[in-house]
Structure formats: C-alpha cells, structure tokens
Amino acid sequence: MAYSFDFSSLLDYTPVLVDGVVTTIGLTAVSTVLGVALGIGGAAARTSSIKPLAIVVGAYVELIRNTPFLVQLFFIFFGLPSLGIRLAEWQAAVLAMVINLGAYSTEIIRAGIEATPKGQIEAGASLGMTGPQIFRYVVLGPAMGKIWPALTSQIVIVMLGSSVCSQIAAEELSFAANFIQSRNFRPFEVYFLATALYLALAVALRWIFSLMGQRMFAKGVSRA
C-alpha cells in the first residue's frame, strides 16, 4: 500500500507545536530546579546522623524508584481529589516530575557526597566550620562536580518522561502531537516531527548542562 508523505500539512499547526514545546520546556525547567533542590535536601538527610529522618527519606526514595511514573502521576491527579486536594493539569505534572526527580537525584547526589574524602571534612572542622558550612562549602560543591553528568542524564530522562503528562491533558509536546494527529490524520509525519523535537530538546539540554558544569565545576566535570 503506497503512502504519500505530506509534511506541509503540519504547517497549519505550527502554533500548537510551539505551545507544546514551550510547555515541555517550562515543565522541565521548574521540575529541574525544585527536583534538584529536593534531591540535595534528601541526600543531606540520608547521609545525616539523624536516623529517623534518614529512614523516612530512604522510604520515599525506594517508593518512587520502584513504582511507575505514570502511576505516580495518576495518583496525584486522580487520587488526591478524593482527599480534597485538586490540582490543575500542569500543577499535577510539575508535582509528579519534581517528586520523581527528587528521589532519583537524592541517590545520585548521595553517591557524590559519600565519595568526598573524610580528610576534607576533617580539614573543614579544624578550621572552625560548622556542620552546615562544611556541607555547603566542602562537601556539596565537589560532590556535585562528580555527579553532574549522571544528574544531567536523569534530568533529560525526566524531560522525556514529561510526555506521559499528556495522559492527564497537560498540553505539552506529546499532547500537541496527539491533537494534531487527530485532526489531520497524518500519524507518520506528526510523530516523526515530535520525535525530532524531543531529540533536539534532549541534545540541547545536555549541551546547556555541559556548559553549566564546565563553568561551575571546571576541574571536575566531563561532558555529559
């Protein structure tokens, strides 16, 4: 059966695609900032001497890492309203992405923290630094430099995973592609372009984070 390709049919839907890309970028940006911040806090808790806190954070990490992102998203969007907590589509998408990235980044950052030589920590203590000061100036910086490529990869995975958010009608790139396909009935062209756009976003994201890493951790970061 012959198939006639017609990518020109997508031109009329350019604004829809642009809006989808912008929404995907926005979801990724917000979830990256909040998710990494959550990961830093989680890693600090898991490596602290406060055992109950470490256990609680460990349970959160295991729960998120061993359940599907789609189920987490559905629980937040469809399950929480049963408790009187109603979120808009984009709010549920951001919350799910933050919680997911926070769990994975907790373990990634924890690995970097635990790789910090004890001599550096002891040197900081000998200079009269407090615990928080040692964590911020002696431990966290070098740790982030060590795990930056791995953290970048996880952020890219979360960005690609945002495509699942179309299932709750969050109007990101996959939602836009599904909408266009339902109107012009050109699935090959639509999803080929969507694939190309996700690839471009992933490559751009890796490049941006690579440049950030080189600036912030000039001696400790290789290209992601």
Side-chain angles (χ1 to χ4, degrees), residues 18-73:
V18 171
D19 288 345
V21 170
V22 170
T23 300
T24 295
I25 293 173
L27 289 173
T28 303
V30 174
S31 63
T32 295
V33 173
L34 299 180
V36 172
L38 180 60
I40 291 173
R46 291 216 69 184
T47 56
S48 74
S49 58
I50 306 175
K51 295 301 181 183
L53 181 60
I55 291 172
V56 169
V57 174
Y60 150 67
V61 169
E62 291 304 313
L63 173 65
I64 298 302
R65 293 175 70 198
N66 291 287
T67 54
F69 176 65
L70 180 60
V71 173
Q72 298 164 19
L73 179 66

Side-chain angles (χ1 to χ4, degrees), residues 116 120-121 124 129-143:
T116 303
Q120 292 184 15
I121 299 175
M129 288 184 172
T130 63
Q133 288 176 328
I134 292 174
F135 179 79
R136 178 180 177 184
Y137 297 108
V138 178
V139 176
L140 186 59

